[in-house]
Amino acid sequence: MKLLGKVALVTGSAQGIGQAVAIRLAQEGADVIVDDRAIGESAQQTADAITKLGRKVHMIAGDLANTADDRRVIADGVAKLGKIDILVNNAGVEKRADFWNVTEAEYDFVMQINLRGTFFITQDFVNHLIATKRTGRIINMSSVHEEMAFPHFSTYCASKGGLKMLCRNLAVELGPLGITVNNIAPGAIATPINKALLNNPELMKLLESKIPLGRLGTPNDVAGLAAFLASDDAAYMTGATFFVDGGLICNYHEQ
Ligand code: BGC
């Protein structure tokens, strides 16, 4: 077990990639703070899986778009589980809209959760590490779209592009404090964020034909990388993005 004695906070861990990451970190020995906008049945499923593994779990509802909530999530997690060593900034949203129609409300919704919320909860986490004189790990769930265009998802791409540079910048600024920062860039993973796609067989076929490995990924395809980046094996890795996309980003055919 690579993470025995560590405490991890995984935002958006009631479902999808966040849920798989939370459970995988617990398999590696970490106690876990399960955080999502609302704590319902699916958050409880994450928590039950973690408890079954013999690890401690604390569930907390928080809206990443609200900085007071971000502070409360960190403070409450520390109060309940004693400390936080690993922050996985997993929570994220997307809204499809033609660029010329994007409303301010849609822009704010995506940016506030994907970038602003990630920024400030990370700040709270780093302040916790500084106050307790400890090192730590930051893992951001970015996307292939921190690098690759995604027409009709300009807000999403802007937020993930921001995460790319936030990762690079914090790696330099926080390196001297012994804090590493890395991004995971999933491709098309079967999760609730792309429900519309999953329910459209034609679109699915087209997308699968663009993925060299020929299938969508699963949350578990991503979770192992998060566990690795949180572990001592990744102690000398910082400021980088790691793609988990079945080869999607490299794919180009002339015919
Ligand atoms: C998006 C999905 C999309 C995938 C591949 C992800 O970041 O959330 O909606 O299918 O990238 O394009």
PDB file of all heavy atoms in Angstrom, residues 17 93-94 142-146 148-150 153 156 160 185-189 191 193-195 197 207 211 216 245 248, ligand 1:
ATOM      1  N   ILE A  17     -15.116   9.844 -12.414  1.00  0.00           N
ATOM      2  CA  ILE A  17     -13.677   9.676 -12.176  1.00  0.00           C
ATOM      3  C   ILE A  17     -13.340   9.931 -10.702  1.00  0.00           C
ATOM      4  O   ILE A  17     -12.551   9.215 -10.100  1.00  0.00           O
ATOM      5  CB  ILE A  17     -12.872  10.623 -13.100  1.00  0.00           C
ATOM      6  CG1 ILE A  17     -13.040  10.202 -14.571  1.00  0.00           C
ATOM      7  CG2 ILE A  17     -11.388  10.607 -12.724  1.00  0.00           C
ATOM      8  CD1 ILE A  17     -12.414  11.171 -15.579  1.00  0.00           C
ATOM      9  N   VAL A  93     -17.180  20.710 -14.660  1.00  0.00           N
ATOM     10  CA  VAL A  93     -18.440  20.727 -15.416  1.00  0.00           C
ATOM     11  C   VAL A  93     -18.160  21.196 -16.842  1.00  0.00           C
ATOM     12  O   VAL A  93     -17.115  21.808 -17.110  1.00  0.00           O
ATOM     13  CB  VAL A  93     -19.466  21.685 -14.764  1.00  0.00           C
ATOM     14  CG1 VAL A  93     -19.939  21.147 -13.424  1.00  0.00           C
ATOM     15  CG2 VAL A  93     -18.899  23.091 -14.615  1.00  0.00           C
ATOM     16  N   GLU A  94     -19.096  20.907 -17.737  1.00  0.00           N
ATOM     17  CA  GLU A  94     -18.988  21.450 -19.096  1.00  0.00           C
ATOM     18  C   GLU A  94     -20.368  21.819 -19.609  1.00  0.00           C
ATOM     19  O   GLU A  94     -21.373  21.259 -19.171  1.00  0.00           O
ATOM     20  CB  GLU A  94     -18.295  20.453 -20.030  1.00  0.00           C
ATOM     21  CG  GLU A  94     -19.068  19.177 -20.269  1.00  0.00           C
ATOM     22  CD  GLU A  94     -18.279  18.153 -21.085  1.00  0.00           C
ATOM     23  OE1 GLU A  94     -17.060  18.057 -20.944  1.00  0.00           O
ATOM     24  OE2 GLU A  94     -18.914  17.429 -21.876  1.00  0.00           O
ATOM     25  N   SER A 142      -7.511  17.552 -15.292  1.00  0.00           N
ATOM     26  CA  SER A 142      -7.652  18.465 -16.419  1.00  0.00           C
ATOM     27  C   SER A 142      -8.393  17.713 -17.524  1.00  0.00           C
ATOM     28  O   SER A 142      -9.386  17.032 -17.257  1.00  0.00           O
ATOM     29  CB  SER A 142      -6.264  18.948 -16.847  1.00  0.00           C
ATOM     30  OG  SER A 142      -6.356  19.804 -17.946  1.00  0.00           O
ATOM     31  N   SER A 143      -7.908  17.779 -18.730  1.00  0.00           N
ATOM     32  CA  SER A 143      -8.571  17.106 -19.862  1.00  0.00           C
ATOM     33  C   SER A 143      -7.625  17.161 -21.054  1.00  0.00           C
ATOM     34  O   SER A 143      -6.744  18.030 -21.111  1.00  0.00           O
ATOM     35  CB  SER A 143      -9.862  17.855 -20.204  1.00  0.00           C
ATOM     36  OG  SER A 143     -10.321  17.472 -21.490  1.00  0.00           O
ATOM     37  N   VAL A 144      -7.853  16.268 -22.025  1.00  0.00           N
ATOM     38  CA  VAL A 144      -7.125  16.433 -23.292  1.00  0.00           C
ATOM     39  C   VAL A 144      -7.358  17.844 -23.833  1.00  0.00           C
ATOM     40  O   VAL A 144      -6.547  18.380 -24.582  1.00  0.00           O
ATOM     41  CB  VAL A 144      -7.558  15.409 -24.375  1.00  0.00           C
ATOM     42  CG1 VAL A 144      -6.993  14.042 -24.102  1.00  0.00           C
ATOM     43  CG2 VAL A 144      -9.076  15.358 -24.527  1.00  0.00           C
ATOM     44  N   HIS A 145      -8.474  18.451 -23.401  1.00  0.00           N
ATOM     45  CA  HIS A 145      -8.818  19.783 -23.904  1.00  0.00           C
ATOM     46  C   HIS A 145      -8.097  20.919 -23.187  1.00  0.00           C
ATOM     47  O   HIS A 145      -8.449  22.075 -23.323  1.00  0.00           O
ATOM     48  CB  HIS A 145     -10.339  19.963 -23.889  1.00  0.00           C
ATOM     49  CG  HIS A 145     -11.014  18.929 -24.723  1.00  0.00           C
ATOM     50  ND1 HIS A 145     -10.785  18.814 -26.079  1.00  0.00           N
ATOM     51  CD2 HIS A 145     -11.848  17.911 -24.411  1.00  0.00           C
ATOM     52  CE1 HIS A 145     -11.469  17.790 -26.553  1.00  0.00           C
ATOM     53  NE2 HIS A 145     -12.115  17.222 -25.560  1.00  0.00           N
ATOM     54  N   GLU A 146      -7.051  20.608 -22.425  1.00  0.00           N
ATOM     55  CA  GLU A 146      -6.132  21.674 -21.997  1.00  0.00           C
ATOM     56  C   GLU A 146      -5.165  21.935 -23.160  1.00  0.00           C
ATOM     57  O   GLU A 146      -4.404  22.889 -23.159  1.00  0.00           O
ATOM     58  CB  GLU A 146      -5.371  21.304 -20.700  1.00  0.00           C
ATOM     59  CG  GLU A 146      -4.307  20.234 -20.850  1.00  0.00           C
ATOM     60  CD  GLU A 146      -3.302  20.190 -19.705  1.00  0.00           C
ATOM     61  OE1 GLU A 146      -3.712  20.220 -18.536  1.00  0.00           O
ATOM     62  OE2 GLU A 146      -2.081  20.139 -19.994  1.00  0.00           O
ATOM     63  N   MET A 148      -6.051  20.329 -26.662  1.00  0.00           N
ATOM     64  CA  MET A 148      -6.705  20.043 -27.940  1.00  0.00           C
ATOM     65  C   MET A 148      -8.028  20.816 -28.030  1.00  0.00           C
ATOM     66  O   MET A 148      -8.764  20.901 -27.060  1.00  0.00           O
ATOM     67  CB  MET A 148      -6.998  18.526 -27.972  1.00  0.00           C
ATOM     68  CG  MET A 148      -7.572  18.005 -29.249  1.00  0.00           C
ATOM     69  SD  MET A 148      -7.567  16.171 -29.247  1.00  0.00           S
ATOM     70  CE  MET A 148      -9.015  15.803 -28.306  1.00  0.00           C
ATOM     71  N   ALA A 149      -8.317  21.353 -29.209  1.00  0.00           N
ATOM     72  CA  ALA A 149      -9.560  22.121 -29.390  1.00  0.00           C
ATOM     73  C   ALA A 149     -10.781  21.232 -29.212  1.00  0.00           C
ATOM     74  O   ALA A 149     -10.726  20.018 -29.429  1.00  0.00           O
ATOM     75  CB  ALA A 149      -9.572  22.742 -30.780  1.00  0.00           C
ATOM     76  N   PHE A 150     -11.875  21.842 -28.802  1.00  0.00           N
ATOM     77  CA  PHE A 150     -13.156  21.143 -28.619  1.00  0.00           C
ATOM     78  C   PHE A 150     -14.245  22.141 -29.019  1.00  0.00           C
ATOM     79  O   PHE A 150     -14.796  22.848 -28.187  1.00  0.00           O
ATOM     80  CB  PHE A 150     -13.296  20.740 -27.142  1.00  0.00           C
ATOM     81  CG  PHE A 150     -14.369  19.733 -26.813  1.00  0.00           C
ATOM     82  CD1 PHE A 150     -15.066  19.030 -27.785  1.00  0.00           C
ATOM     83  CD2 PHE A 150     -14.649  19.457 -25.471  1.00  0.00           C
ATOM     84  CE1 PHE A 150     -16.026  18.090 -27.433  1.00  0.00           C
ATOM     85  CE2 PHE A 150     -15.610  18.528 -25.112  1.00  0.00           C
ATOM     86  CZ  PHE A 150     -16.294  17.838 -26.085  1.00  0.00           C
ATOM     87  N   PHE A 153     -17.291  24.041 -27.100  1.00  0.00           N
ATOM     88  CA  PHE A 153     -17.043  23.941 -25.665  1.00  0.00           C
ATOM     89  C   PHE A 153     -15.963  24.961 -25.276  1.00  0.00           C
ATOM     90  O   PHE A 153     -14.983  24.623 -24.623  1.00  0.00           O
ATOM     91  CB  PHE A 153     -16.596  22.519 -25.288  1.00  0.00           C
ATOM     92  CG  PHE A 153     -17.705  21.495 -25.343  1.00  0.00           C
ATOM     93  CD1 PHE A 153     -18.017  20.853 -26.535  1.00  0.00           C
ATOM     94  CD2 PHE A 153     -18.453  21.184 -24.213  1.00  0.00           C
ATOM     95  CE1 PHE A 153     -19.039  19.914 -26.595  1.00  0.00           C
ATOM     96  CE2 PHE A 153     -19.478  20.246 -24.271  1.00  0.00           C
ATOM     97  CZ  PHE A 153     -19.769  19.605 -25.453  1.00  0.00           C
ATOM     98  N   TYR A 156     -15.254  25.430 -21.510  1.00  0.00           N
ATOM     99  CA  TYR A 156     -14.552  24.264 -20.962  1.00  0.00           C
ATOM    100  C   TYR A 156     -13.072  24.314 -21.345  1.00  0.00           C
ATOM    101  O   TYR A 156     -12.182  24.140 -20.501  1.00  0.00           O
ATOM    102  CB  TYR A 156     -15.217  22.997 -21.502  1.00  0.00           C
ATOM    103  CG  TYR A 156     -14.730  21.695 -20.918  1.00  0.00           C
ATOM    104  CD1 TYR A 156     -15.050  21.331 -19.622  1.00  0.00           C
ATOM    105  CD2 TYR A 156     -13.974  20.802 -21.672  1.00  0.00           C
ATOM    106  CE1 TYR A 156     -14.632  20.112 -19.084  1.00  0.00           C
ATOM    107  CE2 TYR A 156     -13.556  19.584 -21.153  1.00  0.00           C
ATOM    108  CZ  TYR A 156     -13.896  19.244 -19.856  1.00  0.00           C
ATOM    109  OH  TYR A 156     -13.484  18.043 -19.329  1.00  0.00           O
ATOM    110  N   LYS A 160      -9.783  24.577 -18.903  1.00  0.00           N
ATOM    111  CA  LYS A 160      -8.743  23.538 -18.838  1.00  0.00           C
ATOM    112  C   LYS A 160      -7.394  24.097 -19.309  1.00  0.00           C
ATOM    113  O   LYS A 160      -6.341  23.692 -18.801  1.00  0.00           O
ATOM    114  CB  LYS A 160      -9.151  22.315 -19.667  1.00  0.00           C
ATOM    115  CG  LYS A 160     -10.420  21.624 -19.178  1.00  0.00           C
ATOM    116  CD  LYS A 160     -10.300  21.107 -17.749  1.00  0.00           C
ATOM    117  CE  LYS A 160     -11.543  20.341 -17.304  1.00  0.00           C
ATOM    118  NZ  LYS A 160     -11.446  19.831 -15.917  1.00  0.00           N
ATOM    119  N   ALA A 185      -4.835  14.323 -17.713  1.00  0.00           N
ATOM    120  CA  ALA A 185      -5.666  14.769 -18.835  1.00  0.00           C
ATOM    121  C   ALA A 185      -6.401  13.569 -19.429  1.00  0.00           C
ATOM    122  O   ALA A 185      -5.902  12.906 -20.348  1.00  0.00           O
ATOM    123  CB  ALA A 185      -4.791  15.443 -19.884  1.00  0.00           C
ATOM    124  N   PRO A 186      -7.593  13.273 -18.921  1.00  0.00           N
ATOM    125  CA  PRO A 186      -8.355  12.171 -19.497  1.00  0.00           C
ATOM    126  C   PRO A 186      -8.902  12.549 -20.862  1.00  0.00           C
ATOM    127  O   PRO A 186      -9.171  13.722 -21.137  1.00  0.00           O
ATOM    128  CB  PRO A 186      -9.508  11.963 -18.508  1.00  0.00           C
ATOM    129  CG  PRO A 186      -9.143  12.730 -17.272  1.00  0.00           C
ATOM    130  CD  PRO A 186      -8.279  13.864 -17.754  1.00  0.00           C
ATOM    131  N   GLY A 187      -9.080  11.540 -21.697  1.00  0.00           N
ATOM    132  CA  GLY A 187      -9.780  11.741 -22.967  1.00  0.00           C
ATOM    133  C   GLY A 187     -11.253  11.467 -22.755  1.00  0.00           C
ATOM    134  O   GLY A 187     -11.846  11.962 -21.792  1.00  0.00           O
ATOM    135  N   ALA A 188     -11.845  10.688 -23.641  1.00  0.00           N
ATOM    136  CA  ALA A 188     -13.273  10.389 -23.515  1.00  0.00           C
ATOM    137  C   ALA A 188     -13.454   9.226 -22.543  1.00  0.00           C
ATOM    138  O   ALA A 188     -13.106   8.089 -22.845  1.00  0.00           O
ATOM    139  CB  ALA A 188     -13.833  10.034 -24.880  1.00  0.00           C
ATOM    140  N   ILE A 189     -13.972   9.544 -21.386  1.00  0.00           N
ATOM    141  CA  ILE A 189     -14.178   8.538 -20.339  1.00  0.00           C
ATOM    142  C   ILE A 189     -15.684   8.425 -20.122  1.00  0.00           C
ATOM    143  O   ILE A 189     -16.381   9.447 -20.096  1.00  0.00           O
ATOM    144  CB  ILE A 189     -13.485   8.981 -19.016  1.00  0.00           C
ATOM    145  CG1 ILE A 189     -12.011   9.378 -19.251  1.00  0.00           C
ATOM    146  CG2 ILE A 189     -13.602   7.871 -17.965  1.00  0.00           C
ATOM    147  CD1 ILE A 189     -11.087   8.282 -19.715  1.00  0.00           C
ATOM    148  N   THR A 191     -18.493   8.657 -18.227  1.00  0.00           N
ATOM    149  CA  THR A 191     -18.924   9.185 -16.921  1.00  0.00           C
ATOM    150  C   THR A 191     -20.151  10.072 -17.138  1.00  0.00           C
ATOM    151  O   THR A 191     -20.462  10.435 -18.274  1.00  0.00           O
ATOM    152  CB  THR A 191     -17.819  10.053 -16.256  1.00  0.00           C
ATOM    153  OG1 THR A 191     -17.737  11.288 -16.965  1.00  0.00           O
ATOM    154  CG2 THR A 191     -16.475   9.379 -16.230  1.00  0.00           C
ATOM    155  N   ILE A 193     -20.480  13.127 -16.998  1.00  0.00           N
ATOM    156  CA  ILE A 193     -20.257  14.424 -17.652  1.00  0.00           C
ATOM    157  C   ILE A 193     -20.584  14.339 -19.145  1.00  0.00           C
ATOM    158  O   ILE A 193     -20.951  15.336 -19.772  1.00  0.00           O
ATOM    159  CB  ILE A 193     -18.816  14.958 -17.422  1.00  0.00           C
ATOM    160  CG1 ILE A 193     -18.780  16.488 -17.567  1.00  0.00           C
ATOM    161  CG2 ILE A 193     -17.814  14.341 -18.364  1.00  0.00           C
ATOM    162  CD1 ILE A 193     -17.458  17.147 -17.186  1.00  0.00           C
ATOM    163  N   ASN A 194     -20.456  13.163 -19.740  1.00  0.00           N
ATOM    164  CA  ASN A 194     -20.811  13.077 -21.170  1.00  0.00           C
ATOM    165  C   ASN A 194     -21.990  12.149 -21.440  1.00  0.00           C
ATOM    166  O   ASN A 194     -22.004  11.383 -22.392  1.00  0.00           O
ATOM    167  CB  ASN A 194     -19.590  12.755 -22.052  1.00  0.00           C
ATOM    168  CG  ASN A 194     -18.703  11.705 -21.438  1.00  0.00           C
ATOM    169  OD1 ASN A 194     -19.197  10.812 -20.769  1.00  0.00           O
ATOM    170  ND2 ASN A 194     -17.407  11.819 -21.647  1.00  0.00           N
ATOM    171  N   LYS A 195     -22.994  12.317 -20.587  1.00  0.00           N
ATOM    172  CA  LYS A 195     -24.242  11.548 -20.689  1.00  0.00           C
ATOM    173  C   LYS A 195     -24.846  11.654 -22.095  1.00  0.00           C
ATOM    174  O   LYS A 195     -25.276  10.674 -22.691  1.00  0.00           O
ATOM    175  CB  LYS A 195     -25.229  12.099 -19.660  1.00  0.00           C
ATOM    176  CG  LYS A 195     -26.163  11.060 -19.120  1.00  0.00           C
ATOM    177  CD  LYS A 195     -26.934  11.520 -17.876  1.00  0.00           C
ATOM    178  CE  LYS A 195     -27.253  12.999 -17.874  1.00  0.00           C
ATOM    179  NZ  LYS A 195     -27.699  13.544 -16.611  1.00  0.00           N
ATOM    180  N   LEU A 197     -23.449  12.264 -24.945  1.00  0.00           N
ATOM    181  CA  LEU A 197     -22.659  11.478 -25.897  1.00  0.00           C
ATOM    182  C   LEU A 197     -22.942   9.980 -25.740  1.00  0.00           C
ATOM    183  O   LEU A 197     -23.161   9.262 -26.723  1.00  0.00           O
ATOM    184  CB  LEU A 197     -21.170  11.779 -25.658  1.00  0.00           C
ATOM    185  CG  LEU A 197     -20.156  10.879 -26.347  1.00  0.00           C
ATOM    186  CD1 LEU A 197     -20.037  11.254 -27.811  1.00  0.00           C
ATOM    187  CD2 LEU A 197     -18.786  10.995 -25.682  1.00  0.00           C
ATOM    188  N   LEU A 207     -16.726   8.809 -32.359  1.00  0.00           N
ATOM    189  CA  LEU A 207     -15.670   9.073 -31.387  1.00  0.00           C
ATOM    190  C   LEU A 207     -14.762   7.852 -31.236  1.00  0.00           C
ATOM    191  O   LEU A 207     -13.527   7.971 -31.256  1.00  0.00           O
ATOM    192  CB  LEU A 207     -16.288   9.474 -30.040  1.00  0.00           C
ATOM    193  CG  LEU A 207     -15.300   9.755 -28.915  1.00  0.00           C
ATOM    194  CD1 LEU A 207     -14.304  10.845 -29.305  1.00  0.00           C
ATOM    195  CD2 LEU A 207     -16.034  10.168 -27.644  1.00  0.00           C
ATOM    196  N   ILE A 211     -10.355   7.025 -31.601  1.00  0.00           N
ATOM    197  CA  ILE A 211      -9.513   6.629 -30.464  1.00  0.00           C
ATOM    198  C   ILE A 211      -8.718   5.395 -30.872  1.00  0.00           C
ATOM    199  O   ILE A 211      -9.312   4.335 -31.129  1.00  0.00           O
ATOM    200  CB  ILE A 211     -10.380   6.331 -29.219  1.00  0.00           C
ATOM    201  CG1 ILE A 211     -11.200   7.571 -28.844  1.00  0.00           C
ATOM    202  CG2 ILE A 211      -9.516   5.870 -28.052  1.00  0.00           C
ATOM    203  CD1 ILE A 211     -12.235   7.337 -27.761  1.00  0.00           C
ATOM    204  N   LEU A 216     -14.039   3.955 -25.378  1.00  0.00           N
ATOM    205  CA  LEU A 216     -13.965   4.999 -24.361  1.00  0.00           C
ATOM    206  C   LEU A 216     -13.235   4.441 -23.143  1.00  0.00           C
ATOM    207  O   LEU A 216     -13.200   3.225 -22.936  1.00  0.00           O
ATOM    208  CB  LEU A 216     -15.377   5.439 -23.945  1.00  0.00           C
ATOM    209  CG  LEU A 216     -15.875   6.695 -24.675  1.00  0.00           C
ATOM    210  CD1 LEU A 216     -16.128   6.403 -26.139  1.00  0.00           C
ATOM    211  CD2 LEU A 216     -17.144   7.234 -24.024  1.00  0.00           C
ATOM    212  N   ASP A 245      -5.851   8.728 -22.521  1.00  0.00           N
ATOM    213  CA  ASP A 245      -6.845   9.039 -23.556  1.00  0.00           C
ATOM    214  C   ASP A 245      -6.910   7.995 -24.670  1.00  0.00           C
ATOM    215  O   ASP A 245      -7.501   8.275 -25.723  1.00  0.00           O
ATOM    216  CB  ASP A 245      -6.550  10.418 -24.146  1.00  0.00           C
ATOM    217  CG  ASP A 245      -5.248  10.441 -24.946  1.00  0.00           C
ATOM    218  OD1 ASP A 245      -4.459   9.473 -24.835  1.00  0.00           O
ATOM    219  OD2 ASP A 245      -5.025  11.403 -25.691  1.00  0.00           O
ATOM    220  N   LEU A 248      -6.028   9.272 -28.149  1.00  0.00           N
ATOM    221  CA  LEU A 248      -6.869  10.255 -28.856  1.00  0.00           C
ATOM    222  C   LEU A 248      -6.104  11.499 -29.318  1.00  0.00           C
ATOM    223  O   LEU A 248      -6.218  11.924 -30.470  1.00  0.00           O
ATOM    224  CB  LEU A 248      -8.026  10.670 -27.925  1.00  0.00           C
ATOM    225  CG  LEU A 248      -8.975  11.757 -28.419  1.00  0.00           C
ATOM    226  CD1 LEU A 248      -9.765  11.274 -29.627  1.00  0.00           C
ATOM    227  CD2 LEU A 248      -9.947  12.157 -27.307  1.00  0.00           C
TER     228      LEU A 248
HETATM  229  C1  BGC B   1     -14.932  15.952 -21.948  1.00  0.00           C
HETATM  230  C2  BGC B   1     -15.826  14.992 -22.694  1.00  0.00           C
HETATM  231  C3  BGC B   1     -15.223  14.654 -24.052  1.00  0.00           C
HETATM  232  C4  BGC B   1     -13.801  14.195 -23.873  1.00  0.00           C
HETATM  233  C5  BGC B   1     -13.098  13.897 -25.204  1.00  0.00           C
HETATM  234  C6  BGC B   1     -13.537  15.405 -21.871  1.00  0.00           C
HETATM  235  O1  BGC B   1     -12.695  16.301 -21.215  1.00  0.00           O
HETATM  236  O2  BGC B   1     -15.436  16.131 -20.627  1.00  0.00           O
HETATM  237  O3  BGC B   1     -17.103  15.585 -22.878  1.00  0.00           O
HETATM  238  O4  BGC B   1     -15.974  13.622 -24.677  1.00  0.00           O
HETATM  239  O5  BGC B   1     -13.054  15.176 -23.190  1.00  0.00           O
HETATM  240  O6  BGC B   1     -13.285  14.893 -26.122  1.00  0.00           O
END
